[in-house]
Amino acid sequence: MLPQRYTRLVTTLLMSVCMVTAMTFVITCINTGFSDGFMARWGKAIVIAWPIAFALIFILAKRVQQLASRICSLQH
């Protein structure tokens, strides 16, 4: 097991892999269908999208969580 200090990094890795896998599958399927070469196109989309998603989640997650906390604590 990894030390606790790696929790943020592991969370970012897992979240980005889940999101990118699902999103690129759906978008590739919608744009090109399940025709020949689907797996290659999907794989290319994952390779391009994953580093972007990882970086965005790593950079923005804490700020987004803080914003969500503020929104959810607003009283009417």
Side-chain angles (χ1 to χ4, degrees):
M1 290 293 170
L2 293 173
Q4 188 71 28
R5 68 179 181 262
Y6 293 109
T7 300
R8 181 176 174 217
L9 189 62
V10 171
T11 300
T12 301
L13 174 70
L14 295 173
M15 182 63 71
S16 63
V17 167
C18 291
M19 286 179 42
V20 166
T21 300
M23 295 301 297
T24 56
F25 177 84
V26 170
I27 292 167
T28 303
C29 185
I30 289 170
N31 287 338
T32 66
F34 283 112
S35 58
D36 290 339
F38 174 81
M39 295 301 288
R41 290 189 305 277
W42 182 28
K44 182 178 179 182
I46 289 172
V47 168
I48 292 168
W50 180 77
I52 297 166
F54 180 86
L56 286 173
I57 293 169
F58 190 79
I59 293 167
L60 298 176
K62 189 170 184 169
R63 290 180 183 101
V64 170
Q65 190 173 26
Q66 291 169 345
L67 176 60
S69 291
R70 278 191 237 135
I71 290 170
C72 291
S73 67
L74 293 176
Q75 296 185 13
H76 295 109

